[in-house]
Structure formats: structure tokens, C-alpha cells
Amino acid sequence: MTGLYIHIPFCATRCSYCDFYSQTDSALLSDYVEALIREMHLRRGEITDPVGTIYFGGGTPSLLSPRELEHILDEACRLFPLSSDAEITLEANPDDLTQAYTQEIAALPINRISMGAQSFRDEDLLFLNRRHSSRQVYEAVDHCRHVGLTNLSIDLIYGLPEQTPARWQDNITAICSIAPPHISAYHLIYEEGTSLTRMLRTGKIREVEEDVSLEFFCMLREQLTEAGYEHYEISNFARPNRHSRHNSSYWNDAPFLGLGPSAHSFDGKCTRRANVADLRRYLAAIAEGEAPYSKEILSANERYNETLMTRLRTAQGLPISLIEERFGAKRAEECLQAVAPFVRNGLLVKQEDGRIRLTERGIFLSDSIISELFIV
Ligand code: SF4
């Protein structure tokens, strides 16, 4: 199965923490839709297997009108072999999910909504410069459910400055009361070039203490597990059979084609393509009939590091047999030696079936553990 990622690089406003490629001037939006379709035509040969997932990500894909979404989906279905049970996800901002909008998109083949709620507390939303209120999140959920869009994923952000366990508990309680089939929760990251990072550097805000972050993470994990969610990837929780199939295919090295500026593609073996992260250069390349990407062939070491990175982030862990199959018995032996100190420290566990997994304590330190296992 192949995944199709469609990037929509437009946002109505800029959130204070975000460094994704997008712009707030939507004057080029309709030209962009046509360019996306031309890119599909240009790159149709890159997809031969059935497309099992389509993901509209951004940016803010819910800035597209239902007609524009329909146009893109019609062309995708015409050009690519779409599996009959394909998962088709639209990332959406809660304030775009009005009654009228949800009614119209429910008539399209979109069958999953990933909603950027981020918090159920209005002060947090103001601080993050989100353009919606907590009330709009509840309304958006109701609108989606009313028209049968029940396969919902909701994103939360935690680890905000001044956030206390009681305030974070408000968010956990709220998400549990909504009980969406899928929840993604990310720790706030101070990315270069964002207004939050500037506030941090000038001393206007302070990062939350690491032990408090750990407490937030444990609260979330414990209460969602208790509520019947599987913690199947470091930042992702799902009800049974409601994992994100699109994101899971990234973690399982499945091929995917990414369309739009800054989108990445992978052939499932060793070739990555990165589209130019600039809307005007992207539009110019497409107008000339040129592929808008640079290509990179991953070395064996880079593929090994990626395998560790993606597999260890999942609850299923890293099968040592996979390392042996892909990189040989010697590399599998070296991998076992490298993980041994972490197993002794209780940060990784080696299961009887030969899988290596992060322990509960290890999950929170995953980035540093995994980077220490990398081959440089
Ligand atoms: S977080 Fe989402 S809505 Fe906000 S600026 Fe980034 S891409 Fe746009």
C-alpha cells in the first residue's frame, strides 16, 4: 500500500509555536489547487501500488472549500489506484468545522478528521495564538458527529509555561469526556524562528521543568490507558483498530508520495524526495512542467538509523530480526550490544520474541536514547 500526502500551505493566522511551512496570504490558494493537480499528473508514475491512505495536512487544509477538496480527490482517484477501504483524513481547525462545512465534506470520500484542538482552556489557546475557542472545539466535534464523521482524532499540546498539573488535568478530563477514537498529544517544542522561542530567549516566559513535563506525560498515559486507549506510539493513543493508518505507514517504512511545497516522499526502499519549501518556487517549477523536488539516496547507516528511530517510537518496538534481515547478522549483533546498557538501566526491554521496546521510563527519554543508538 502507498500513502498520498497532500500539503496545504495556508493558514488564516500563525500560531505562536509553529514552524511548519505555511503562509497567511491565501491569494494564491486557487492557483495552488491547480498546481497540486498538475503535480499529481507529473508524478503519477511514482505510484504503482494501491493507495491505502490519503492525508490532507498543513497548514490548514480546512481552508479549502468542499468544492476544492472534491476537485483534488476526484483527480487523485482518477490518477491513482485507490484501495476500496482507503483512509482519507482531513486536518482541520475547529472553527472551520461549521455545521454547513461538515455537511458538505461528509458527502465527499473523506472519512477521518484530525482536529487541532491543542487545549480546552481559552487562556492556553490565546497564548498559543490559536484562532478558535474551547467552545468551538466542542461544537466542531458535535457537527462532525452529527453528519457521521465519527472517526475523529484530536491533537493536544502540553508542557506550556506556567501549566500546572491541575490545568493539564482539565484538558485530560475534557478529552476523556469527548472520547474521540484517536488522540495525539505533543509536548510544546520551542522551534527556531517562532514567536514563542523569541519570548523564551528574552525571558518573557520560562520552559516548564522537566519533572513537571514527565508528570504531565504520566498523567495522560495513565488516564487514557485506563479509558481504553492503546498508547501505540510515543505521541499517539487510539481505541482498538483506530490507529492512524497513514502515520503508521510512515513508521513501517511504507512508500508514500508527498505533494505540495515542503512535502516529502519515500519509495519504501532508499530514495527520499523533498519538495522545495517555497510556494512561489513550487508554482514556477510546476508551471514549467518540472518536478519540484531534490532527491536523496539514503546510505545503509541512514536507513539503519531511521529504522531505529521509527520502530522504537512504537509500542510494538524494534524486532531484532528486522535488523538482521535488512542489515545483516553482524549489524543485528552490534545493535544488541548497543541496547544492552539501556536494558540494564531499565530504559529499554528486550522481549522474548526478540523485540526491543522502550519501557515506561524510557518513553520519556526516547529522543536521547535513540540518538545514542545511532550510527554516525
Ligand atoms: S499550528 Fe497549524 S494552524 Fe497553526 S500555524 Fe501551524 S500549521 Fe497553521
Side-chain angles (χ1 to χ4, degrees):
M1 286 287 183
T2 300
L4 181 62
Y5 174 80
I6 301 174
H7 190 68
I8 307 299
F10 299 94
C11 291
T13 49
R14 196 89 200 138
C15 303
S16 57
Y17 55 92
C18 177
D19 74 338
F20 288 168
Y21 180 68
S22 77
Q23 56 176 62
T24 49
D25 177 2
S26 59
L28 291 170
L29 186 57
S30 50
D31 289 350
Y32 179 65
V33 170
E34 294 311 317
L36 265 181
I37 287 171
R38 280 201 291 280
E39 190 185 0
M40 278 187 211
H41 281 264
L42 276 173
R43 302 182 67 184
R44 63 191 298 184
E46 289 178 40
I47 289 190
T48 46
D49 292 342
V51 172
T53 61
I54 299 180
Y55 194 99
F56 287 93
T60 309
S62 52
L63 288 182
L64 292 176
S65 70
R67 293 291 71 76
E68 287 165 332
L69 287 166
E70 184 177 27
H71 185 32
I72 296 169
L73 282 169
D74 280 352
E75 283 296 307
C77 296
R78 210 166 61 75
L79 292 173
F80 303 120
L82 189 68
S83 137
S84 57
D85 66 343
E87 175 191 272
I88 304 182
T89 304
L90 178 76
E91 272 185 2
N93 263 26
D95 50 325
D96 291 329
L97 293 168
T98 60
Q99 195 173 12
Y101 190 80
T102 49
Q103 251 160 13
E104 288 197 65
I105 60 170
L108 304 177
I110 290 164
N111 51 29
R112 187 168 181 273
I113 300 289
S114 174
M115 195 190 298
Q118 315 312 358
S119 175
F120 290 86
R121 303 183 78 254
D122 285 333
E123 307 100 279
D124 294 348
L125 295 170
L126 266 177
F127 175 74
L128 296 170
N129 204 32
R130 299 290 301 177
R131 60 187 165 99
H132 60 87
S133 64
S134 57
R135 183 179 50 80
Q136 284 173 307
V137 178
Y138 289 105
E139 287 172 357
V141 170
D142 286 348
H143 293 149
C144 288
R145 288 180 167 160
H146 185 69
V147 295
L149 290 168
T150 55
N151 196 4
L152 291 175
S153 177
I154 295 187
D155 286 5
L156 291 177
I157 293 182
Y158 65 99
L160 276 52
E162 314 291 330
Q163 192 168 33
T164 61
R167 291 183 193 164
W168 177 230
Q169 181 60 51
D170 289 345
N171 278 334
I172 300 177
T173 305
I175 200 108
C176 287
S177 75
I178 290 178
H182 190 278
I183 297 167
S184 300
Y186 302 97
H187 195 285
L188 178 66
I189 295 178
Y190 292 89
E191 304 282 6
E192 267 317 308
T194 62
S195 59
L196 273 198
T197 299
R198 283 191 289 279
M199 287 167 78
L200 185 71
R201 297 227 170 103
T202 51
K204 292 194 179 118
I205 52 172
R206 272 198 327 187
E207 268 186 88
V208 71
E209 300 289 333
E210 199 173 305
D211 57 338
V212 178
S213 289
L214 177 60
E215 184 182 353
F216 291 165
F217 178 73
C218 293
M219 287 165 69
L220 180 75
R221 181 179 150 88
E222 195 179 309
Q223 292 180 54
L224 292 188
T225 307
E226 180 86 358
Y229 289 87
E230 184 194 345
H231 187 193
Y232 74 104
E233 197 269 348
I234 288 179
S235 308
N236 289 283
F237 299 81
R239 297 267 192 215
N241 302 320
R242 293 306 187 101
H243 299 185
S244 161
R245 279 162 44 196
H246 187 82
N247 289 343
S248 298
S249 68
Y250 294 152
W251 307 322
N252 292 321
D253 315 310
F256 55 89
L257 175 64
L259 304 174
S262 81
H264 285 240
S265 306
F266 179 54
D267 68 352
K269 299 180 194 89
C270 60
T271 306
R272 287 202 177 277
R273 291 178 171 83
N275 281 8
V276 58
D278 181 303
L279 180 60
R280 288 186 187 274
R281 283 172 59 202
Y282 169 84
L283 291 174
I286 296 288
E288 293 294 317
E290 285 170 15
Y293 56 72
S294 57
K295 191 166 135 181
E296 182 193 9
I297 307 289
L298 300 179
S299 67
N301 284 358
E302 285 168 332
R303 281 189 294 128
Y304 173 79
N305 289 347
E306 286 213 353
T307 304
L308 288 192
M309 168 78 126
T310 50
R311 300 290 173 136
L312 281 176
R313 289 180 59 94
T314 67
Q316 294 201 322
L318 169 73
I320 202 72
S321 56
L322 183 75
I323 298 292
E324 187 168 347
E325 187 189 304
R326 288 189 182 171
F327 306 101
K330 185 163 175 282
R331 180 51 59 80
E333 191 49 45
E334 287 164 358
C335 179
L336 283 174
Q337 283 169 17
V339 302
F342 296 100
V343 172
R344 280 197 295 277
N345 289 343
L347 297 172
L348 290 170
V349 66
K350 183 170 175 290
Q351 298 182 166
E352 280 186 4
D353 62 4
R355 284 174 183 271
I356 296 153
R357 243 189 342 94
L358 290 162
T359 60
E360 194 166 343
R361 209 153 58 80
I363 290 173
F364 196 72
L365 300 170
S366 60
D367 285 347
S368 59
I369 296 171
I370 293 169
S371 62
E372 282 193 49
L373 295 173
F374 278 174
I375 293 178
V376 284

Tab-separated table of all heavy atoms in Angstrom, residues 10-22 58-60 91 93 118 129-131, ligand 1:
chain	number	residue	atom	x	y	z
A	10	PHE	N	-1.349	26.912	3.690
A	10	PHE	CA	-2.004	28.175	4.007
A	10	PHE	C	-2.623	28.088	5.401
A	10	PHE	O	-3.164	27.038	5.768
A	10	PHE	CB	-3.130	28.478	3.002
A	10	PHE	CG	-2.636	28.615	1.588
A	10	PHE	CD1	-2.643	27.524	0.731
A	10	PHE	CD2	-2.148	29.831	1.130
A	10	PHE	CE1	-2.176	27.646	-0.571
A	10	PHE	CE2	-1.677	29.952	-0.181
A	10	PHE	CZ	-1.694	28.859	-1.027
A	11	CYS	N	-2.519	29.169	6.154
A	11	CYS	CA	-3.170	29.245	7.470
A	11	CYS	C	-3.785	30.635	7.582
A	11	CYS	O	-3.216	31.600	7.058
A	11	CYS	CB	-2.147	29.089	8.597
A	11	CYS	SG	-1.475	27.433	8.676
A	12	ALA	N	-4.914	30.732	8.262
A	12	ALA	CA	-5.556	32.044	8.398
A	12	ALA	C	-4.705	32.959	9.280
A	12	ALA	O	-4.586	34.160	9.028
A	12	ALA	CB	-6.945	31.881	8.991
A	13	THR	N	-4.099	32.392	10.334
A	13	THR	CA	-3.202	33.147	11.217
A	13	THR	C	-2.062	32.211	11.603
A	13	THR	O	-2.134	31.004	11.343
A	13	THR	CB	-3.923	33.603	12.504
A	13	THR	OG1	-4.600	32.455	13.056
A	13	THR	CG2	-4.940	34.694	12.240
A	14	ARG	N	-1.050	32.763	12.231
A	14	ARG	CA	0.126	31.972	12.572
A	14	ARG	C	0.102	31.644	14.070
A	14	ARG	O	0.023	32.556	14.907
A	14	ARG	CB	1.350	32.831	12.235
A	14	ARG	CG	2.610	32.101	12.166
A	14	ARG	CD	2.891	31.537	10.777
A	14	ARG	NE	3.864	30.478	10.937
A	14	ARG	CZ	3.814	29.323	10.297
A	14	ARG	NH1	2.870	29.058	9.437
A	14	ARG	NH2	4.721	28.426	10.503
A	15	CYS	N	0.184	30.385	14.425
A	15	CYS	CA	0.218	30.010	15.842
A	15	CYS	C	1.627	30.292	16.390
A	15	CYS	O	2.608	30.177	15.659
A	15	CYS	CB	-0.140	28.539	16.002
A	15	CYS	SG	-1.751	28.171	15.294
A	16	SER	N	1.696	30.627	17.674
A	16	SER	CA	2.951	31.173	18.204
A	16	SER	C	4.072	30.138	18.304
A	16	SER	O	5.231	30.507	18.454
A	16	SER	CB	2.699	31.791	19.583
A	16	SER	OG	2.158	30.815	20.441
A	17	TYR	N	3.747	28.857	18.226
A	17	TYR	CA	4.749	27.806	18.433
A	17	TYR	C	5.151	27.111	17.131
A	17	TYR	O	6.015	26.240	17.116
A	17	TYR	CB	4.160	26.722	19.367
A	17	TYR	CG	2.850	26.160	18.842
A	17	TYR	CD1	2.836	25.038	18.037
A	17	TYR	CD2	1.638	26.798	19.125
A	17	TYR	CE1	1.635	24.557	17.526
A	17	TYR	CE2	0.452	26.322	18.614
A	17	TYR	CZ	0.455	25.202	17.823
A	17	TYR	OH	-0.717	24.726	17.307
A	18	CYS	N	4.521	27.470	16.007
A	18	CYS	CA	4.558	26.609	14.825
A	18	CYS	C	5.632	27.030	13.830
A	18	CYS	O	5.754	28.201	13.483
A	18	CYS	CB	3.199	26.650	14.151
A	18	CYS	SG	3.160	25.704	12.635
A	19	ASP	N	6.398	26.046	13.346
A	19	ASP	CA	7.391	26.347	12.300
A	19	ASP	C	7.099	25.571	11.013
A	19	ASP	O	7.975	25.426	10.171
A	19	ASP	CB	8.818	26.050	12.794
A	19	ASP	CG	9.106	24.560	12.868
A	19	ASP	OD1	8.148	23.760	12.950
A	19	ASP	OD2	10.293	24.185	12.838
A	20	PHE	N	5.876	25.054	10.867
A	20	PHE	CA	5.542	24.334	9.629
A	20	PHE	C	5.538	25.303	8.457
A	20	PHE	O	5.276	26.489	8.638
A	20	PHE	CB	4.149	23.686	9.721
A	20	PHE	CG	4.102	22.499	10.634
A	20	PHE	CD1	2.890	21.965	11.018
A	20	PHE	CD2	5.264	21.913	11.105
A	20	PHE	CE1	2.828	20.879	11.862
A	20	PHE	CE2	5.215	20.822	11.952
A	20	PHE	CZ	3.990	20.308	12.342
A	21	TYR	N	5.765	24.757	7.269
A	21	TYR	CA	5.757	25.634	6.110
A	21	TYR	C	4.311	25.992	5.741
A	21	TYR	O	3.540	25.123	5.318
A	21	TYR	CB	6.474	25.002	4.905
A	21	TYR	CG	6.428	25.969	3.756
A	21	TYR	CD1	7.156	27.155	3.824
A	21	TYR	CD2	5.579	25.791	2.684
A	21	TYR	CE1	7.052	28.118	2.848
A	21	TYR	CE2	5.468	26.749	1.688
A	21	TYR	CZ	6.215	27.910	1.778
A	21	TYR	OH	6.098	28.870	0.821
A	22	SER	N	3.961	27.243	5.928
A	22	SER	CA	2.636	27.718	5.514
A	22	SER	C	2.676	29.230	5.472
A	22	SER	O	3.596	29.864	6.006
A	22	SER	CB	1.543	27.245	6.474
A	22	SER	OG	1.563	28.011	7.642
A	58	GLY	N	-1.169	20.142	6.804
A	58	GLY	CA	-0.805	21.536	6.517
A	58	GLY	C	0.112	22.121	7.548
A	58	GLY	O	0.787	21.396	8.266
A	59	GLY	N	0.007	23.435	7.583
A	59	GLY	CA	-1.019	24.321	7.068
A	59	GLY	C	-2.428	23.973	7.612
A	59	GLY	O	-2.587	23.257	8.584
A	60	THR	N	-3.384	24.514	6.932
A	60	THR	CA	-4.771	24.315	7.346
A	60	THR	C	-5.607	23.852	6.152
A	60	THR	O	-6.185	24.680	5.435
A	60	THR	CB	-5.351	25.614	7.946
A	60	THR	OG1	-4.466	26.104	8.948
A	60	THR	CG2	-6.712	25.376	8.578
A	91	GLU	N	-6.989	17.236	7.915
A	91	GLU	CA	-6.639	18.018	9.110
A	91	GLU	C	-7.490	19.273	9.099
A	91	GLU	O	-7.642	19.909	8.043
A	91	GLU	CB	-5.167	18.444	9.051
A	91	GLU	CG	-4.224	17.435	9.649
A	91	GLU	CD	-2.786	17.942	9.686
A	91	GLU	OE1	-2.515	19.079	9.280
A	91	GLU	OE2	-1.938	17.167	10.112
A	93	ASN	N	-9.048	22.867	11.397
A	93	ASN	CA	-9.124	23.728	12.571
A	93	ASN	C	-10.574	23.726	13.060
A	93	ASN	O	-11.498	23.773	12.243
A	93	ASN	CB	-8.705	25.149	12.203
A	93	ASN	CG	-7.257	25.397	12.553
A	93	ASN	OD1	-6.460	24.454	12.602
A	93	ASN	ND2	-6.923	26.642	12.792
A	118	GLN	N	-5.644	21.391	20.543
A	118	GLN	CA	-4.447	21.803	21.323
A	118	GLN	C	-4.737	22.025	22.801
A	118	GLN	O	-3.925	21.667	23.634
A	118	GLN	CB	-3.740	23.042	20.731
A	118	GLN	CG	-3.550	23.038	19.214
A	118	GLN	CD	-2.977	21.766	18.628
A	118	GLN	OE1	-2.654	20.834	19.353
A	118	GLN	NE2	-2.878	21.678	17.313
A	129	ASN	N	-1.835	31.454	20.393
A	129	ASN	CA	-2.356	32.198	19.244
A	129	ASN	C	-3.190	31.328	18.307
A	129	ASN	O	-3.145	31.476	17.087
A	129	ASN	CB	-1.233	32.911	18.467
A	129	ASN	CG	-1.776	34.090	17.695
A	129	ASN	OD1	-2.732	34.730	18.134
A	129	ASN	ND2	-1.207	34.372	16.537
A	130	ARG	N	-3.922	30.400	18.913
A	130	ARG	CA	-4.883	29.623	18.122
A	130	ARG	C	-6.068	30.541	17.827
A	130	ARG	O	-6.376	31.431	18.608
A	130	ARG	CB	-5.374	28.396	18.916
A	130	ARG	CG	-4.290	27.439	19.298
A	130	ARG	CD	-3.747	26.700	18.135
A	130	ARG	NE	-4.763	25.940	17.435
A	130	ARG	CZ	-4.522	25.244	16.316
A	130	ARG	NH1	-3.324	25.234	15.767
A	130	ARG	NH2	-5.473	24.570	15.721
A	131	ARG	N	-6.744	30.330	16.705
A	131	ARG	CA	-7.799	31.280	16.366
A	131	ARG	C	-9.177	30.782	16.780
A	131	ARG	O	-10.185	31.339	16.387
A	131	ARG	CB	-7.748	31.624	14.884
A	131	ARG	CG	-7.925	30.468	13.946
A	131	ARG	CD	-7.682	30.887	12.504
A	131	ARG	NE	-7.507	29.748	11.648
A	131	ARG	CZ	-8.454	29.235	10.892
A	131	ARG	NH1	-9.668	29.741	10.900
A	131	ARG	NH2	-8.199	28.195	10.131
B	1	SF4	S1	-0.179	25.013	14.044
B	1	SF4	FE1	-1.393	24.504	12.235
B	1	SF4	S2	-2.861	26.218	12.085
B	1	SF4	FE2	-1.230	26.917	13.423
B	1	SF4	S3	0.223	27.995	12.078
B	1	SF4	FE3	0.924	25.865	12.272
B	1	SF4	S4	0.059	24.788	10.554
B	1	SF4	FE4	-1.087	26.730	10.775
